[in-house]
Amino acid sequence: MLLVVYIATVARDRVVNDVLSAALAAWRIATTGEPWFDGFPLEQIPTAPHQHLWTGLADNGHVAVFRSPGAIAAGVPAYLFGRGTEPQDFSVVPAGVLAAVLVVAALLLYARALLTVLPTAQVVAALTALALTTPIWSNAANSLWPHTVTLVGIAGMAWACSRERWWLLGLFGGVALWGRLHAVLVVALLGLGLALWRRRAVIAVRAGTVSAGFLGLAFVWTHEMYGKWEPTGGYDASSVATNATTGGPGGSGLVDRTVNQLGLWISPDRGILVWTPVLLLLLPAVVRSWRVLPDWSRLLLAAGLAYTFVQGLINHFGGGVNFYGYRLTLELLACSFPAYAMAATRAGPVGRRLLGPVLGLQLGVISLGAVTESFFVPVTEAWTDSSLALALREFPWLIGWLALTTLIGALAGQVYADRFGPLSAPAGPAAPASPRAAHPGRGSGRAAPGRR
């Protein structure tokens, strides 16, 4: 059902320049077998007002699209069965449909990870909340972003850790870093953290070997595509280094750095806590559950926080224009989801009562940006305005829609409680008492009898 909803709401024209450019490169590779646009009439590619392509002359002398490797490579399958190589034959819709498929695949990976410790009904409820009440719907499943790729990678890492498949941890970590290079932090901190906590160096060796292979392939991709040996893909390594030392495009002073970091969290139009207040609502439950959560879920959340800090160093918190909600903190949302899904079992009375209405409100808010491509504010106004405020100013009756979805959320929460009872704590010991006792042997990674 989610796949049907996602495909029905994919962006069809007014996509962000980044998405348009990456999809165009994927289409070019799939239909011609080459990634360059030498002699191609790029000016004839249909664009919406204020859209433009991230193209230019690469170091190897070819005209190329400058985007991350994963954003381009992931889109190639969407165009393999397309016909025509002329500008009028190109469309972003196939890439959007593939993005919807990839997000559903990520949700299935999360499901396989959580079903080892939580009841099925609880897993379905958590996944539905993630899928429909966050910018996962309005961004990652709406167009083929780099974040769509990293979401699959992070969900795969969670699944690999739940099954103790360390080669797969490295493989999905490699997928994530192809989407966003600095996602290498997530797989590195997760692999090394588990190796140290469990005193099993083999975890870091296996995961690191595979993910390092993907990093090497990123060097090769950039060399073949642009004629330079860098893992940054179409991003200029010098600009990345400059942003890292100056606090991003926002400025170089301490105040500018701090404001840029805060923008990722509390900006009216980009803040993760503004668009997904459920993270604040369940934060006490996460703190209360911290010591009993699986070690991999805690490390994944910590790695997401580290990634977000680095994200604030190398990019402006606004993250561009013409998208609804946030996108630069989607990786943090993905990294924190398993811990939050399990910690919800320890929500207090107030948290339990408000969980349904808050998620219902988020559903109403996110659906506005998922089904239409009209509500965007300039990135320069990200601290003073928001896409939601713009929508309500133009169509005040939407307040009724938000009230309705809030009521639906409250009723759904009550129905869930009546049908399945209160949220259940994770089955079995969530985290080992000691590294030595928890892993006496290599094991198969399968759940113990009775834990299903």
Side-chain angles (χ1 to χ4, degrees):
M1 290 190 294
L2 285 173
L3 184 60
V4 171
V5 171
Y6 282 167
I7 292 177
T9 57
V10 296
R12 285 164 171 77
D13 47 35
R14 294 183 59 185
V15 297
V16 182
N17 303 326
D18 311 44
V19 171
L20 175 66
S21 303
L24 180 64
W27 168 76
R28 180 71 170 174
I29 294 172
T31 56
T32 69
E34 65 176 43
W36 305 297
F37 292 86
D38 304 332
F40 183 87
L42 288 169
E43 68 280 358
Q44 295 182 22
I45 292 295
T47 57
H50 309 297
Q51 270 187 335
H52 64 270
L53 297 170
W54 294 112
T55 58
L57 192 65
D59 289 1
N60 55 14
H62 293 290
V63 178
V65 165
F66 289 84
R67 303 311 308 151
S68 68
I72 296 175
V76 172
Y79 298 99
L80 286 177
F81 302 103
R83 295 184 178 180
T85 59
E86 299 302 317
Q88 63 271 18
D89 300 319
F90 169 70
S91 170
V92 297
V93 174
V97 172
L98 181 60
V101 173
L102 290 176
V103 170
V104 170
L107 295 174
L108 290 172
L109 289 169
Y110 276 134
R112 298 306 301 166
L114 293 176
L115 282 171
T116 61
V117 292
L118 293 177
T120 301
Q122 200 161 306
V123 172
V124 172
L127 289 171
T128 303
L130 177 68
L132 295 179
T133 74
T134 75
I136 292 290
W137 182 14
S138 61
N139 285 316
N142 192 252
S143 300
L144 189 49
W145 285 95
H147 313 286
T148 310
V149 180
T150 57
L151 174 63
V152 175
I154 293 170
M157 284 190 275
W159 172 67
C161 288
S162 72
R163 303 287 174 157
E164 298 189 1
R165 305 293 175 84
W166 311 123
W167 295 110
L168 289 177
L169 172 60
L171 185 150
F172 282 106
V175 170
L177 70 87
W178 262 57
R180 304 284 279 179
L181 178 63
H182 45 297
V184 69
L185 273 174
V186 178
V187 65
L189 293 176
L190 184 56
L192 289 173
L194 285 173
L196 291 173
W197 176 251
R198 299 186 179 189
R199 300 178 186 176
R200 297 182 65 199
V202 67
I203 298 175
V205 171
R206 290 179 178 176
T209 300
V210 180
S211 60
F214 275 81
L215 183 61
L217 289 175
F219 277 94
V220 175
W221 172 280
T222 307
H223 180 265
E224 294 300 314
M225 187 90 161
Y226 309 106
K228 56 183 180 181
W229 288 103
E230 294 175 1
T232 53
Y235 295 95
D236 183 11
S238 62
S239 66
V240 172
T242 300
N243 288 342
T245 57
T246 61
S252 59
L254 179 60
V255 173
D256 296 319
R257 291 173 180 265
T258 303
V259 169
N260 202 57
Q261 292 286 347
L262 290 175
L264 295 168
W265 294 89
I266 59 174
S267 161
D269 197 52
R270 295 293 188 265
I272 184 173
L273 298 180
V274 174
W275 289 96
T276 43
V278 69
L279 296 177
L280 279 177
L281 179 67
L282 293 179
L283 181 59
V286 174
V287 174
R288 195 178 298 121
S289 307
W290 189 254
R291 298 177 68 88
V292 297
L293 289 173
D295 50 6
W296 62 265
S297 67
R298 289 179 289 169
L299 287 166
L300 187 61
L301 175 54
L305 291 171
Y307 171 94
T308 303
F309 177 75
V310 172
Q311 181 69 83
L313 292 178
I314 65 177
N315 208 334
H316 185 268
F317 77 89
V321 295
N322 285 10
F323 65 92
Y324 187 90
Y326 54 82
R327 69 176 184 88
L328 296 185
T329 45
L330 281 175
E331 285 78 12
L332 173 59
L333 179 68
C335 288
S336 61
F337 172 69
Y340 266 84
M342 288 181 275
T345 62
R346 292 172 177 258
V350 174
R352 289 172 186 260
R353 283 196 297 269
L354 293 181
L355 185 57
V358 168
L359 289 176
L361 177 60
Q362 287 184 197
L363 170 64
V365 170
I366 293 301
S367 65
L368 298 180
V371 303
T372 181
E373 299 160 31
S374 302
F375 305 126
F376 308 113
V377 298
V379 67
T380 54
E381 300 177 13
W383 275 112
T384 58
D385 202 354
S386 77
S387 302
L388 175 61
L390 173 62
L392 295 179
R393 288 198 301 269
E394 294 189 1
F395 303 99
W397 58 266
L398 288 174
I399 295 177
W401 167 247
L402 299 183
L404 176 62
T405 59
T406 302
L407 176 61
I408 291 174
L411 293 176
Q414 186 60 51
V415 169
Y416 181 96
D418 292 341
R419 174 66 178 81
F420 300 105
L423 297 176
S424 305
S434 70
R436 290 183 182 274
H439 303 281
R442 296 180 181 272
S444 63
R446 298 179 180 175
R451 291 185 64 181
R452 294 180 63 84

